[in-house]
Every structure is written in C-alpha cells, then in structure tokens.
C-alpha cells in the first residue's frame, strides 16, 4: 500500500488532469453517439475541458459540468468536479447545495416537458439514487481533506515534541553544569586551598632559601589555580539553576576522615538523628567541608568545633572557629562556596547562616526541618 501511494504521489498533477479530461470526454461521447445535438456536444466539450482548471477554480468547473449532467447520463466529469470542490473547501452548506443541485440536474430529463409526463415515483427513486451518487464524492473529498489536516497536525506535534525535547536537553545540561560547578568548588578548592596554606606555612618556617622559594612557588601556583577555578565556576554557573544530585557523594560516614585530613585542630561533637536522607547527609558534609576550607584560607592557626545537633523539629550542624592565630595568606575568593551551601540548604527547605562571633571567630550553621528528604 505504501509503495502504491508513493508511486501515485510521483504522478504529476497535469497527467492526472489530462486522464480525467479524456475519461470525461469518452463518457460524454458514449452517451451522445448518434443522438447528440451541437449544443449537447458543446456542453460536453466545455464540461470535460474544464477539468483542466478544477484545482484552481473548483466551484466554476462544477457549474460548467451541470449542463452536460442535464443533457446526458454522465458520471466522470460531475464526480471529479464535486470531489475537487469538497477537498478544497470547508463550506459544508455549499457542498450540500452543490450535491443537491447535481442530483436535480441528473434526475431531470431533457426536454423538461417529458419529465412531468412520466411516473413520478420512479423520478423520486432516480433523485434519491442521484443524490447518493453526488454525496459520495463530497464525503470522500471531505475525508481526504480531514486526512491532510491530521497529517499537518501530526507534523506540528512532532515539531513541538522535538522542540520540547531540545529544551529539556538544554535544561538538563544547565543543571549538570551547575552541579559540576558546585562539586568543583567543594572538592577541588578544598584540596588546593589546603596546599596553598601548607605552602605558606612552610615558606615562613623554612630556613633554607631554596626551600622557601619552592614553598613560595607552590603557594603562588595554588593561588593562581584557585583564581582560575573561580572563573571556571562562574562560567559554569552562568547557565545553571538548582541542580539535582547526579552521582553518589560523601555522607556522614566520611566526616571523620574529612576532619582528620583538614590540617586544623578540630573537635567533633553531637550526632544527627538516624535515618536522615542521603541528600541531607551530603549537605551536612559539604557544609563542614566549606567551613573548614574557609578556616584554612581566612583564619590560619585557628581551632574549629563541629557540632552536630537535632531536636524535635530540626537538625543541623554548627561549625565555629576561633580567631586566627597567624597572619592570613591572601587567597582569591568569590564566595561561591557559601552560595552553593545556601542552595543546598534550600533543597532541604532549610536555612544557612554565616556570621562572625564576638570573640573574633566565625560561625556557619545549617538548620533544616527534621522530616526533610
């Protein structure tokens, strides 16, 4: 069926119209052979040749077929004209009127005076048959028109789905970029800032000039790396929004290891309620990680306290550090870490506060509802 349809679509329209004209002329010639008058032959010629223009002027071509329908018992020309008209217009009253007009012309006999002398019951039967014959091409033309409309709607739906799929892909990409920016800052800056601080401490404590120069180089490279990372995170965040977590990340089980490797004198107290979600555990871990990173960057020599807590309605973590014990080492910062922590807190319907303490230190606290998931 698909092969036949594809073959039919390759036939040029002028070839189809030429074939219809030839069939209509043959139909009229069979009916007029031996008894046609010049007027009948002229009507047959006009009605048949008019099919060449049926695509551009369907209503006019149908009207041209009415005289030949009145003079002779033809089928090809009026059916083709009605079908073309029905396939090209949505005016249902016009189509009904044309079908009725064609049925009347096909039922009446010429001369008209002979029509009223015969059996009127048979005339009514002929009219019903002619009306059904006229409505057949009308209904078929409307069916073809509806099929074309449905095909057009399907194309529009397909294009809309492709557009929606592209937008969804862009949204997912933006979220992945935002997630990547967050994880790059949380993980990479945590390690690089530790290198920079340790290199700065080595530079001040080393006696050998070569060792001091090597430490200075390491500290400089670390600072440059942090600066480049800050620019990269800014670019990645430019098209991102709130991200969904894309891969397994550290949880509370890794908190002790984080504190042990931080290079800061840190005490861990308290506990969180059992059964909190993986997302909540990861948020607590990242909060502690960012807080310790800030202590190394902005409060060298300070001590820190990590306190896990919970009550009936909330749970959270509070990280407090003392005032710096040594001069700070200038490291680049764009405060993306705190921004990322606030975004994580919002995912838990919680809040994050960060403020200095009266003793000259700093405190970061994450607070979230106890039933957050």
């Amino acid at each position: 069926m698909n092969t036949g349809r594809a073959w039919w679509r390759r036939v040029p329209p002028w070839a189809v119209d030429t074939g219809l004209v030839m069939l209509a002329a043959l139909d009229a010639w069979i009916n007029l052979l031996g008894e046609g008058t010049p007027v009948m032959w002229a009507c047959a010629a006009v009605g048949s040749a008019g099919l060449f223009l049926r695509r551009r002027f369907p209503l006019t071509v149908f009207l041209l077929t009415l005289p030949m329908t009145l003079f002779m018992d033809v089928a090809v020309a009026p059916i083709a004209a009605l079908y073309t008209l029905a396939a090209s217009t949505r005016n249902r009253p016009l189509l009904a009127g044309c079908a009725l007009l064609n049925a009347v012309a096909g039922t009446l006999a010429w001369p008209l005076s002979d029509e009223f002398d015969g059996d009127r019951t048979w005339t009514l039967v002929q009219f019903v048959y002619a009306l059904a014959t006229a409505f057949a091409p009308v209904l078929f033309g409307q069916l073809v028109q509806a099929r074309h409309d449905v095909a057009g709607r399907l194309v529009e739906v397909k294009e809309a789905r492709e557009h929606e799929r592209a937008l969804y892909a862009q949204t997912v990409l933006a979220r992945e970029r935002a997630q990547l920016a967050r994880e790059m800052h949380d993980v990479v800056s945590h390690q690089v800032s530790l290198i920079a601080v340790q290199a700065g401490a080595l530079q001040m404590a080393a006696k050998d000039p070569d060792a001091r120069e090597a430490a200075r180089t390491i500290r400089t490279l670390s600072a440059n790396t942090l600066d480049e990372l800050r620019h990269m995170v800014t670019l990645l965040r430019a098209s991102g929004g709130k991200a969904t977590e894309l891969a397994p990340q550290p949880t509370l089980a890794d908190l002790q290891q984080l504190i042990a490797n931080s290079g800061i004198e840190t005490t861990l107290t308290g506990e969180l309620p059992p059964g909190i979600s993986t997302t909540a555990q990861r948020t607590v871990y990242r909060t502690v990680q960012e807080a310790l990173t800030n202590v190394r960057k902005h409060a060298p020599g300070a001590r820190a306290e990590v306190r896990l807590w919970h009550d009936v309605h909330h749970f959270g973590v509070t990280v407090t550090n003392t005032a710096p014990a040594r001069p700070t080492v200038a490291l680049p910062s764009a405060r993306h870490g705190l921004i990322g922590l606030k975004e994580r807190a919002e995912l838990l319907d919680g809040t994050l506060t960060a403020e200095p303490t009266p003793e000259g230190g700093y405190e970061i606290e994450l607070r979230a509802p106890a039933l957050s998931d």
Side-chain angles (χ1 to χ4, degrees):
M1 183 180 294
N2 292 335
T3 303
R5 185 180 301 161
W7 176 85
W8 174 254
R9 289 177 178 176
R10 288 197 294 267
V11 178
W14 63 266
V16 177
D17 294 340
T18 301
L20 284 176
V21 170
M22 294 176 63
L23 286 176
L26 179 62
D27 186 21
W29 180 77
I30 293 174
N31 281 274
L32 294 178
L33 185 62
E35 58 182 30
T37 64
V39 175
M40 293 180 180
W41 283 106
C43 291
V46 171
S48 300
L51 294 179
F52 278 119
L53 304 175
R54 67 187 182 95
R55 302 177 190 272
R56 297 185 59 185
F57 308 105
L59 180 59
T60 301
V61 171
F62 166 73
L63 295 176
L64 291 177
T65 63
L66 286 179
M68 63 185 301
T69 305
L70 180 64
F71 289 138
M72 63 201 79
D73 187 17
V74 292
V76 176
I79 288 178
L82 277 174
Y83 165 76
T84 305
L85 181 62
S88 60
T89 183
R90 303 179 188 275
N91 192 334
R92 302 290 176 79
L94 173 64
L95 293 175
C98 290
L100 182 61
L101 189 60
N102 183 78
V104 171
T107 303
L108 295 178
W110 188 264
L112 296 179
S113 59
D114 297 340
E115 188 65 33
F116 299 99
D117 296 336
D119 186 359
R120 295 187 178 181
T121 302
W122 177 246
T123 301
L124 179 60
V125 172
Q126 285 185 313
F127 173 76
V128 173
Y129 176 78
L131 188 62
T133 304
F135 266 106
V138 170
L139 294 178
F140 187 66
Q142 288 287 280
L143 179 62
V144 171
Q145 186 183 92
R147 182 178 177 275
H148 289 165
D149 292 343
V150 171
R153 293 291 186 275
L154 289 177
V155 171
E156 293 177 359
V157 170
K158 183 179 179 181
E159 292 177 351
R161 287 182 176 177
E162 291 295 333
H163 182 65
E164 181 181 358
R165 191 176 294 111
L167 290 179
Y168 178 75
Q170 292 176 3
T171 302
V172 171
L173 179 61
R175 290 179 178 179
E176 289 179 348
R177 293 178 63 176
Q179 176 68 13
L180 178 61
R182 177 183 298 166
E183 298 304 329
M184 284 181 60
H185 181 275
D186 290 345
V187 178
V188 180
S189 66
H190 176 80
Q191 303 296 333
V192 175
S193 62
L194 178 59
I195 295 173
V197 172
Q198 295 292 344
L202 178 62
Q203 181 183 358
M204 290 183 289
K207 303 297 184 179
D208 184 29
D210 294 335
R212 286 199 300 270
E213 179 63 23
R216 187 192 66 80
T217 302
I218 294 174
R219 184 172 67 88
T220 302
L221 292 176
S222 300
N224 292 338
T225 300
L226 283 175
D227 193 45
E228 292 177 3
L229 176 63
R230 176 173 61 85
H231 288 293
M232 185 179 299
V233 168
T234 302
L235 292 176
L236 289 174
R237 284 179 177 271
S239 62
K242 289 185 178 180
T244 55
E245 305 297 339
L246 302 176
Q249 299 293 330
T251 60
L252 291 180
D254 305 290
L255 198 56
Q256 288 282 5
Q257 187 66 30
L258 173 69
I259 293 175
N261 296 335
S262 66
I264 301 172
E265 183 181 346
T266 306
T267 57
L268 175 63
T269 61
E271 61 181 9
L272 292 179
I276 66 172
S277 67
T278 303
T279 302
Q281 294 185 48
R282 185 158 51 248
T283 301
V284 171
Y285 180 94
R286 293 306 187 193
T287 301
V288 175
Q289 183 184 54
E290 178 63 25
L292 296 181
T293 299
N294 288 339
V295 172
R296 285 196 303 269
K297 291 169 61 176
H298 306 297
R303 298 186 306 275
E305 178 187 2
V306 178
R307 183 171 64 88
L308 305 176
W309 57 269
H310 69 276
D311 54 32
V312 178
H313 302 292
H314 297 87
F315 74 90
V317 59
T318 303
V319 182
T320 307
N321 65 271
T322 61
R326 299 194 303 269
T328 60
V329 179
L331 295 174
S333 175
R335 299 184 65 84
H336 285 309
L338 292 178
I339 294 175
L341 292 182
K342 289 181 179 180
E343 291 177 355
R344 291 179 183 272
E346 290 175 0
L347 293 177
L348 299 177
D349 294 326
T351 59
L352 181 89
T353 57
E355 57 188 6
T357 64
E359 295 79 13
Y362 208 79
E363 181 178 275
I364 295 178
E365 181 179 80
L366 169 69
R367 175 183 294 267
L371 298 180
S372 290
D373 185 13

